[in-house]
Amino acid sequence: MRISGFASGMDIDAMVKELMQAHRKPLDKLTQQKQTIEWQREKYREINSKLVDFRNNKLFNLNMNSTLGALKSTVSGNTAAVSAKAVSGSMAGSLEIRVGSLATAARISGGSMDADVTAETVIGDKAGKLIVNDVEIEISSEDTIQSVVNKINSNKDAKVTAFFDSQTGRMSLVSKETGAINDDGKIKLSDDNNKLVDFFKLNAGSSDSVAGTDASVTINGIETTRSSNTFMVNGVEITLHAPTPDGAQSSIVTTSMDTDKVVDTIKSFIDDYNSLLKLLNDTVEEKKYRDFQPLTSDQKKELKEDDIKRWEEKAKSGLLRNDTILKKMITDLRLDIMSPVTIGKDAEGNDIKMILDDIGITTGRWEDKGKLVLKDEAKLREMLEKNPEDVIALFTSKGTPDAEGNTPKNTQGIFQKMYDDVKVTLDSLFDKAGTSRFSNTLDDPLNEESIIGKELKNLDKRISDTNRKLLNLENRYYRQFTAMEVAINKFNAQSGFLMNAFGG
């Protein structure tokens, strides 16, 4: 704490503050420069997040053939006997199916137990090991019939489902798998004490044991069997529901491209691409207000909160205007969209090329700055139905290596080209701003060894040095004014002494 001005009557603190204002201008400029660069880095981080999301969560998934090659299976003819579902890896084509019989599960239906037996009846002295399909299940004397049922059902290796009906006092076991199980197709059941099986009336004398059977089915004229009523054929999941009646139509399963789903996927890509392109265009064209620099702490004290907010909106505007990294990204994306893709060769060995306009997609008007437009959806659907492989190659082709093992970019599909080009941009942003190349979150730590990171560390050092110099200068001013106060005090003392001496 400084106490000054008693002798002179002057406001020394105010005078020192005014003297220091001019000297603080370089510090204010450094602080404003640092704030501007920090804002710029945050803008880079926001753009980087969108690019990572576009590359890793959209392009990566789109570049999978299964995404654009989505198939659907339909059943015609006898639709009651069979249902079908195309899954990943399905093959286009048709299957003629006739169902001879369905697969059934093996079962054992026990006889009626004693009249006083309930689900809560305790096993007691009949405790031992129940052996189901060679799996031993320990039954204790404290177990009840219901807890035995629960033990059987919770044992995955036994592969049966147990059920006790309290109304009839009967227990049953049903195989969890259809088809002929074990050697004779039946559930294996025994015990180690000759008591448990008899107690549950599951012994041969009082139970009904039925073997499981395989389904009998004819596929494209070939008679075959399946242990389950649901199975795969050419990547299509077939489910049998009922035998095909004699003289009835066969079930015809047709697997083809799911045009509606593919069109929706392409529309989704167009929306994502346009959104990213607009963000990049708006960023590099955003107006810069050079007269609006970051506010100093003293300036903020003189303004209202709303005024500060409006000022900083202008100060943050145009921070990445004409940014070379982002402008290159825009150019690369537009070239990826516009450049033809070599999707194969004709009979004479000439390249077969395709562009988006061939499937009804254009880049719109000049003022739209590369925005994609699905101008002719009917044309897109027609191409998907007539030449699905070509359309898929236009988007997802990984490219064809040349004699040197390199993959020319013109042989790569749109998604692959974009995937590679966005990575180049992410690498550039990492080098400059220290942003993550893999995460799209906004709170990941930034690499301080990036160009901006090093620039900020240098500014921190300069700000620290400047603060130290200003503090030394401020202390010097106070020392000078203190010396003045001491001199005035001394003069006043001498003057008082002389006046008293002459007056005496």
Side-chain angles (χ1 to χ4, degrees):
M1 178 181 291
R2 295 186 177 97
I3 300 176
S4 57
F6 285 128
S8 64
M10 294 185 293
D11 187 347
I12 303 302
D13 289 336
M15 293 177 66
V16 171
K17 183 177 180 181
E18 188 172 347
L19 287 169
M20 291 297 297
Q21 281 182 345
H23 295 290
R24 288 188 182 278
K25 287 183 178 180
L27 176 63
D28 289 341
K29 288 183 178 180
L30 287 174
T31 304
Q32 288 173 320
Q33 185 181 352
K34 178 185 177 183
Q35 181 64 81
T36 298
I37 293 174
E38 286 177 340
W39 282 343
Q40 186 183 55
R41 184 166 65 168
E42 286 306 310
K43 288 270 191 178
Y44 276 129
R45 194 207 288 259
E46 292 171 10
I47 297 291
N48 186 86
S49 173
K50 299 294 184 182
L51 288 172
V52 170
D53 179 63
F54 183 68
R55 182 176 188 265
N56 293 355
N57 298 331
K58 295 183 172 66
L59 289 177
F60 179 81
N61 293 327
L62 288 168
N63 211 19
M64 306 289 286
N65 282 330
S66 58
T67 305
L68 279 187
L71 300 175
K72 64 178 179 179
S73 294
T74 58
V75 180
S76 58
N78 190 334
T79 58
V82 172
S83 64
K85 181 175 70 174
V87 295
S88 178
S90 297
M91 297 175 61
S94 61
L95 300 168
E96 180 183 354
I97 299 177
R98 295 188 68 83
V99 183
S101 62
L102 298 180
T104 61
R107 71 176 187 277
I108 300 177
S109 300
S112 296
M113 300 185 199
D114 296 338
D116 59 345
V117 172
T118 68
E120 301 305 319
T121 297
V122 178
I123 300 302
D125 61 359
K126 300 167 186 65
K129 292 180 181 178
L130 189 64
I131 305 170
V132 184
N133 290 329
D134 299 325
V135 177
E136 295 182 354
I137 301 174
E138 193 72 39
I139 308 299
S140 71
S141 58
E142 290 80 17
D143 274 322
T144 63
I145 290 179
Q146 185 58 53
S147 67
V148 171
V149 169
N150 294 341
K151 282 186 175 182
I152 295 172
N153 291 339
S154 63
N155 193 308
K156 296 180 180 179
D157 295 329
K159 299 180 181 179
V160 297
T161 299
F163 167 67
F164 176 73
D165 181 26
S166 296
Q167 296 297 318
T168 61
R170 300 178 65 189
M171 181 181 283
S172 68
L173 300 179
V174 179
S175 175
K176 292 181 180 179
E177 300 175 352
T178 56
I181 62 171
N182 302 320
D183 296 334
D184 57 0
K186 296 183 178 182
I187 297 172
K188 291 182 180 181
L189 182 65
S190 62
D191 55 40
D192 68 341
N193 59 7
N194 296 320
K195 293 181 181 180
L196 283 169
V197 173
D198 285 342
F199 174 70
F200 293 125
K201 300 298 183 184
L202 293 171
N203 55 333
S206 59
S207 67
D208 180 20
S209 181
V210 178
T213 60
D214 290 341
S216 173
V217 60
T218 302
I219 304 173
N220 287 354
I222 299 175
E223 294 185 12
T224 184
T225 59
R226 293 290 189 274
S227 61
S228 172
N229 290 314
T230 299
F231 50 90
M232 304 294 294
V233 178
N234 290 344
V236 178
E237 185 180 276
I238 304 294
T239 301
L240 309 181
H241 297 286
T244 305
D246 292 339
Q249 284 183 300
S250 299
S251 303
I252 306 300
V253 177
T254 303
T255 303
S256 58
M257 175 169 281
D258 190 346
T259 304
D260 290 337
K261 186 173 182 179
V262 175
V263 169
D264 288 343
T265 299
I266 292 175
K267 286 180 178 179
S268 177
F269 161 70
I270 290 174
D271 290 341
D272 292 334
Y273 171 82
N274 287 342
S275 176
L276 177 63
L277 191 66
K278 183 179 186 304
L279 173 65
L280 294 172
N281 280 323
D282 289 348
T283 301
V284 299
E285 296 173 2
E286 190 176 40
K287 184 175 181 180
K288 186 172 182 62
Y289 299 89
R290 299 187 181 280
D291 293 336
F292 288 79
Q293 296 297 318
L295 295 169
T296 64
S297 57
D298 289 337
Q299 289 171 329
K300 287 181 179 180
K301 292 177 183 177
E302 299 174 2
L303 296 175
K304 296 180 180 179
E305 188 174 338
D306 289 343
D307 294 331
I308 293 173
K309 183 178 179 181
R310 285 192 292 269
W311 183 283
E312 289 190 344
E313 284 177 357
K314 293 286 183 67
K316 291 178 180 180
S317 178
L319 289 177
L320 299 183
R321 181 178 176 84
N322 291 325
D323 182 80
T324 56
I325 295 175
L326 302 187
K327 289 182 73 174
K328 181 180 183 302
M329 180 78 274
I330 293 171
T331 301
D332 289 342
L333 288 175
R334 295 187 64 175
L335 283 175
D336 293 340
I337 284 294
M338 296 167 56
S339 302
V341 177
T342 302
I343 60 174
K345 293 184 179 295
D346 59 20
E348 287 74 34
N350 299 314
D351 288 342
I352 301 174
K353 299 182 179 181
M354 180 179 278
I355 58 175
L356 282 178
D357 192 56
D358 294 332
I359 60 173
I361 301 175
T362 68
T363 54
R365 300 170 298 176
W366 177 85
E367 57 266 29
D368 290 331
K369 301 170 185 176
K371 176 182 177 182
L372 288 178
V373 178
L374 179 53
K375 189 175 182 180
D376 192 345
E377 184 173 330
K379 187 175 182 180
L380 172 59
R381 290 180 176 274
E382 180 184 4
M383 288 294 291
L384 285 170
E385 291 171 3
K386 289 184 177 180
N387 303 297
E389 294 83 4
D390 291 348
V391 177
I392 293 173
L394 171 64
F395 287 102
T396 67
S397 174
K398 299 298 188 294
T400 304
D402 56 22
E404 287 75 33
N406 301 315
T407 303
K409 196 168 184 177
N410 68 307
T411 66
Q412 293 179 324
I414 291 171
F415 296 155
Q416 185 63 51
K417 288 188 287 189
M418 285 187 177
Y419 189 79
D420 294 341
D421 286 338
V422 172
K423 181 182 183 302
V424 173
T425 300
L426 292 175
D427 288 341
S428 297
L429 290 176
F430 172 79
D431 292 338
K432 183 167 185 179
T435 51
S436 172
R437 290 169 287 195
F438 312 105
S439 173
N440 63 345
T441 59
L442 297 175
D443 54 2
D444 282 338
L446 296 162
N447 180 16
E448 299 303 328
E449 295 306 310
S450 63
I451 294 173
I452 289 180
K454 291 179 179 179
E455 191 172 357
L456 288 173
K457 283 195 289 186
N458 181 55
L459 279 171
D460 283 336
K461 184 178 183 304
R462 292 173 63 189
I463 288 172
S464 177
D465 292 343
T466 303
N467 270 320
R468 187 171 58 255
K469 291 177 181 177
L470 289 174
L471 180 61
N472 291 336
L473 179 61
E474 185 180 60
N475 288 335
R476 192 182 78 188
Y477 280 136
Y478 273 109
R479 286 196 299 271
Q480 290 174 340
F481 279 111
T482 298
M484 181 189 73
E485 291 283 325
V486 170
I488 292 174
N489 272 329
K490 185 176 181 180
F491 175 79
N492 287 337
Q494 290 176 344
S495 176
F497 173 79
L498 291 173
M499 289 179 64
N500 289 332
F502 287 112

